[in-house]
Each structure stands twice: as structure tokens, then as C-alpha cells.
Amino acid sequence: METPARQEADGEAVAAFVERFAADLTEAGIPRMSSRIFACLLAEADGVLTAAQLAERLCASPAAVSGAVRYLAQQHMLSREREPGSRRERYRLHTDIWHEVVAGRDKVFARWSATMRAGVKAVGEDTAAGRRLAEAAAFFDFTKAELAAMVDRWHRSRALTRENQA
């Protein structure tokens, strides 16, 4: 059985992890409060918390939590669900969260590639800007293909690891 001192120390370690990983995510371009909420859910045993629980754990206002979870839902990093028998919503990390976050970027790369190709037509293929935009489009096409292959390799690797653990 854990002592209150041990529980407090564990709570402090978890809070430190949440803030550290949130800082990493913020540095990568995710809004700060969304980063904190994502990290907090990631550290939660079942990956599920209500808005009130998030606000309490992160010392944040309900409005800040609401805006941040909206962003995370739009990025497909969590989903909203009703708490059984209640009007309250709770927020859940997806089961394969990293796969979903990374795999979802292929749509972004496809869109960027199409936009770069439209830019090539606008500025002309034989211009310095046209060549630069064509190179960017080719890079996004390459990255999209490599991302799909990487996700496939991950699925095979995870399945093999699970087989070896069984």
C-alpha cells in the first residue's frame, strides 16, 4: 500500500512529466493549453478525464479547457464522449493516438503538394520560384509515401513485439 508521502511524490513526478512533455509539444507548434491537456490525458491511467478534472489538475479555467480540447478534437488527438448517465462530457485519447496523429499528416502533405503544383502553374515552370515550388511538391509527395510505408512497418513491428511478449 502506498503511503500519502509516496502518492504525493508520484503526483509531483506526474505533474513534472505533464509540464515537460507539454513544453515539448508547445515547442513543436501545438498551443500551450492543448499541449498540457494532451500530456495530462496521456499520463492518466485510462486516458479519460472530464473538463472539470482537467481544469482542476492543470489549474486552468473551464474556458481555457474548452478551447484547448476543441483544438485537440479538430486535430484528431482526442474524442469527446458523454459520461454515462450525465450531461457532462469527458475527453478520451484515441487508442492508437500516435498512429492517428502521424498518419493524419498524409492529408496535409497531399494538400500542400497540390497547392505547390498550383503555385508552379501560377509563377511558371521555368522560373526560380517555379522550380522551388516544384521541388517542394516533390518533397511533400515523397514524404506522404514514406509516411504510409513507415506506418505499415510500425504495425508489423508492433505485432511482432506483441507476439514475442505473449
Side-chain angles (χ1 to χ4, degrees):
M1 186 166 138
E2 288 188 2
T3 64
R6 173 69 183 173
Q7 290 173 340
E8 185 177 321
D10 288 348
E12 290 171 7
V14 170
F17 160 77
V18 166
E19 293 305 325
R20 171 58 199 248
F21 189 54
D24 292 346
L25 293 171
T26 300
E27 192 172 310
I30 296 176
R32 184 171 185 274
M33 184 54 69
S34 296
S35 295
R36 293 180 73 219
I37 287 172
F38 182 78
C40 188
L41 286 168
L42 196 60
E44 185 63 25
D46 60 1
V48 178
L49 290 169
T50 66
Q53 289 169 320
L54 286 165
E56 180 182 329
R57 289 183 189 190
L58 300 172
C59 299
S61 72
V65 169
S66 177
V69 297
R70 186 177 320 109
Y71 171 85
L72 292 168
Q74 289 170 343
Q75 300 302 312
H76 308 288
M77 294 173 77
L78 61 73
S79 57
R80 297 172 189 228
E81 57 187 41
R82 288 275 180 213
E83 203 170 66
S86 172
R87 292 180 37 198
R88 291 192 310 179
E89 284 188 331
R90 58 186 184 181
Y91 305 99
R92 174 182 301 278
L93 290 180
H94 294 186
T95 303
D96 238 355
I97 186 63
W98 297 113
H99 168 263
E100 290 190 33
V101 168
V102 171
R105 298 301 176 234
D106 70 338
K107 293 179 186 89
V108 172
F109 293 136
R111 189 170 57 246
W112 288 355
S113 178
T115 301
M116 294 299 116
R117 291 187 197 298
V120 169
K121 289 179 182 175
V123 301
E125 289 179 25
D126 296 331
T127 66
R131 288 187 291 277
R132 187 171 46 252
L133 294 172
E135 178 79 15
F139 174 77
F140 294 133
D141 290 341
F142 175 83
T143 303
K144 182 179 179 295
E146 286 297 308
L147 189 58
M150 182 184 69
V151 169
D152 287 343
R153 286 191 306 275
W154 161 247
H155 283 282
R156 288 193 303 273
S157 174
R158 183 177 61 179
L160 188 60
T161 300
R162 287 180 178 170
E163 282 178 20
N164 291 336
Q165 291 174 346

